[in-house]
Amino acid sequence: MAGTSKKKRTPPIWKRHPTAFRFFLVTTILLVAFGGGLVYSMWVLVCAGDRCPSVQALDDYTPKQTSKLYAVDGRFIAELGTERRTLVKLSEIPKVVQDAFVVTEDKRFYQHSGIDWYRAAGALLHDVRAGRYAQGFSTITMQLARNIFPESISRDKTIVRKIKEAKVAREIESKFSKAKILELYLHQINLGNGPYGVETAS
């Protein structure tokens, strides 16, 4: 019986092209290190010199409300103001409504500390594939920061704005409970055509 010949295995690419592989590996490490250092520097410096708002303002923060005018006999006449809003406590908002916003806007709201890193990584990958800014990763806390401090945090689609928004969100999370953050969010959110907050919209 004739002997069977052994099939020669092709060596891995790093053995076939060691110089090219080392060059690629070193270049990749340098680029990752540079990118990481750049992002870290922006994180440290983005709020330098009072460029970010102080979250202490939320201690006494009250969302804007309209003024309601009534006639002497008690009839409602008009509502003055640009933001129609009725403030209620979180406990007065049905749990199903709270959960609906959390599931829709930020399903890991109760697990993260202001930034959903899983969602951020997914959005980054999606944007790289699309070749443009196609998907965001704002959490409820990041949206709250942007909505309450529009003078300091613009809506421009830039990495600086996103880092500033994320940093303020982390500070909000370190100071306030999830319940307080959700309550402020549900009061502050613009639901279109004038109403602000879930109570007025309902």
Side-chain angles (χ1 to χ4, degrees), residues 102-157:
V102 170
V103 169
T104 304
E105 297 293 329
D106 185 3
K107 62 182 181 182
R108 280 179 288 273
F109 173 66
Y110 293 104
Q111 283 76 52
H112 64 66
S113 298
I115 305 171
D116 185 347
W117 294 108
Y118 291 103
R119 188 173 173 187
L124 178 62
L125 184 60
H126 183 86
D127 292 348
V128 169
R129 287 175 175 170
R132 60 186 176 84
Y133 185 86
Q135 188 178 95
F137 60 91
S138 291
T139 61
I140 280 177
T141 318
M142 291 168 71
Q143 291 181 51
L144 178 65
R146 185 174 65 230
N147 291 336
I148 289 185
F149 304 113
E151 300 84 4
S152 303
I153 304 174
S154 69
R155 292 183 177 271
D156 299 333
K157 292 181 178 180

Side-chain angles (χ1 to χ4, degrees), residues 36-163:
L38 183 63
V39 171
Y40 177 75
S41 298
M42 292 175 70
W43 178 267
V44 172
L45 299 174
V46 72
C47 288
D50 296 326
R51 290 191 182 95
C52 291
S54 172
V55 300
Q56 301 290 340
L58 295 182
D59 283 330
D60 304 310
Y61 177 74
T62 302
K64 295 178 182 176
Q65 298 182 75
T66 54
S67 298
K68 296 178 176 62
L69 299 181
Y70 295 90
V72 177
D73 60 3
R75 288 181 298 106
F76 175 75
I77 298 176
E79 194 170 16
L80 305 177
T82 57
E83 298 184 8
R84 292 193 289 112
R85 178 183 284 112
T86 302
L87 301 184
V88 293
K89 294 184 180 299
L90 184 65
S91 57
E92 298 176 73
I93 300 174
K95 189 67 165 58
V96 66
V97 175
Q98 299 178 36
D99 293 342
F101 275 92
V102 170
V103 169
T104 304
E105 297 293 329
D106 185 3
K107 62 182 181 182
R108 280 179 288 273
F109 173 66
Y110 293 104
Q111 283 76 52
H112 64 66
S113 298
I115 305 171
D116 185 347
W117 294 108
Y118 291 103
R119 188 173 173 187
L124 178 62
L125 184 60
H126 183 86
D127 292 348
V128 169
R129 287 175 175 170
R132 60 186 176 84
Y133 185 86
Q135 188 178 95
F137 60 91
S138 291
T139 61
I140 280 177
T141 318
M142 291 168 71
Q143 291 181 51
L144 178 65
R146 185 174 65 230
N147 291 336
I148 289 185
F149 304 113
E151 300 84 4
S152 303
I153 304 174
S154 69
R155 292 183 177 271
D156 299 333
K157 292 181 178 180
T158 65
I159 189 170
V160 173
R161 188 271 291 179
K162 207 66 182 177
I163 291 176

Side-chain angles (χ1 to χ4, degrees), residues 1-18:
M1 185 174 180
T4 56
S5 59
K6 290 185 178 179
K7 196 171 183 180
K8 192 174 180 181
R9 301 179 82 183
T10 304
I13 189 170
W14 57 83
K15 288 187 177 180
R16 284 183 283 133
H17 307 284

